[in-house]
Amino acid sequence: NAGVTQTPKFRILKIGQSMTLQCTQDMNHNYMYWYRQDPGMGLKLIYYSVGAGITDKGEVPNGYNVSRSTTEDFPLRLELAAPSQTSVYFCASSYSRPSTDTQYFGPGTRLTVL
Amino acid sequence: TQLLEQSPQFLSIQEGENLTVYCNSSSVFSSLQWYRQEPGEGPVLLVTVVTGGEVKKLKRLTFQFGDARKDSSLHITAAQPGDTGLYLCAGARSGYELNFGKGTSLLVTP
């Protein structure tokens, strides 16, 4: 099993550009998450999904969109990139609720917006 | 709003020393998790504690969940360079979200 994979690993965007961060998991997990990690700030939840077709906002959803058309994939869309979106983005998945189950994280995407 | 406060923020010690990292909150959590993250990688789960007063041991690492389920600690005995990394605590309440602390960056030098 590859676990949770993310592409790309690095990306530089100009202000106003758009992009999609890809996330795929091969563990047949129901729950998937997108976090951003800024230096010294821990992880902040952007969006999460409890199954195909079901998504919900986390703590910091502004400027982002998600979709979940399959169990395996959970792409994160950035529209009109801003310097405040410079961060490291992690996708994670779990079989059930995080209170009782392990979240498996991908290796991250380092995004810089100039 | 930062629900979980971790201390210390940074810790630099020599191999063989003991250390304790703290994770505190005014909120009650149904469970609390500890993760370790190495540079350029995603966090990896070390342990989940769910019962107030629970103590779990993982080799040289000892995790404790406070009686009131508002705080937790991680104690490392005889630290080794391989323990170097960012340690994150994360609390779960009733929903689908984990609330992460800001992390403790640990450096263990030979």
Side-chain angles (χ1 to χ4, degrees), chain B residues 7 15 20-21 28 30 33-34 46 75-77 82 98-99 107:
Chain B
S7 62
E15 184 175 2
T20 301
V21 176
V28 176
S30 59
Q33 300 178 337
W34 285 92
L46 295 173
H75 182 79
I76 301 179
T77 304
L98 276 180
N99 296 283
L107 175 64

Side-chain angles (χ1 to χ4, degrees), chain A residues 9 31 33 35 37 40-45 48 50 57-59 90 97-103 105-108, chain B residues 1-2 9 30-31 33 35 37 40-43 45 48 50 86 88 92-98 100-103:
Chain A
K9 204 160 178 60
Y31 296 68
Y33 314 83
Y35 293 92
Q37 185 176 35
M41 295 301 294
L43 280 83
K44 301 287 187 183
L45 183 66
Y48 66 95
V50 300
K57 296 178 181 179
E59 184 181 356
F90 289 100
R97 286 175 183 248
S99 58
T100 57
D101 200 12
T102 302
Q103 276 197 17
F105 284 81
Chain B
T1 305
Q2 194 72 37
Q9 190 176 357
S30 59
S31 68
Q33 300 178 337
Y35 291 81
Q37 184 180 18
E41 299 182 8
L45 181 68
T48 301
V50 297
L86 179 67
L88 295 158
R93 295 195 286 180
S94 58
Y96 300 100
E97 301 183 32
L98 276 180
F100 280 84
K102 292 183 179 182

Side-chain angles (χ1 to χ4, degrees), chain B:
Chain B
T1 305
Q2 194 72 37
L3 284 179
L4 285 165
E5 297 291 338
Q6 284 189 243
S7 62
Q9 190 176 357
F10 300 99
L11 196 52
S12 181
I13 61 172
Q14 292 200 310
E15 184 175 2
E17 293 184 21
N18 301 331
L19 66 116
T20 301
V21 176
Y22 300 93
C23 178
N24 296 307
S25 177
S26 57
S27 298
V28 176
F29 293 99
S30 59
S31 68
L32 201 135
Q33 300 178 337
W34 285 92
Y35 291 81
R36 183 167 71 205
Q37 184 180 18
E38 301 194 17
E41 299 182 8
V44 175
L45 181 68
L46 295 173
V47 77
T48 301
V49 285
V50 297
T51 305
E54 182 177 3
V55 177
K56 280 192 174 179
K57 292 193 175 184
L58 189 67
K59 297 183 181 178
R60 294 176 294 99
L61 278 61
T62 302
F63 305 85
Q64 186 161 8
F65 201 13
D67 291 341
R69 290 186 288 130
K70 293 182 179 182
D71 53 80
S72 181
S73 63
L74 157 61
H75 182 79
I76 301 179
T77 304
Q80 299 178 359
D83 295 326
T84 293
L86 179 67
Y87 289 82
L88 295 158
C89 67
R93 295 195 286 180
S94 58
Y96 300 100
E97 301 183 32
L98 276 180
N99 296 283
F100 280 84
K102 292 183 179 182
T104 293
S105 182
L106 172 65
L107 175 64
V108 182
T109 53

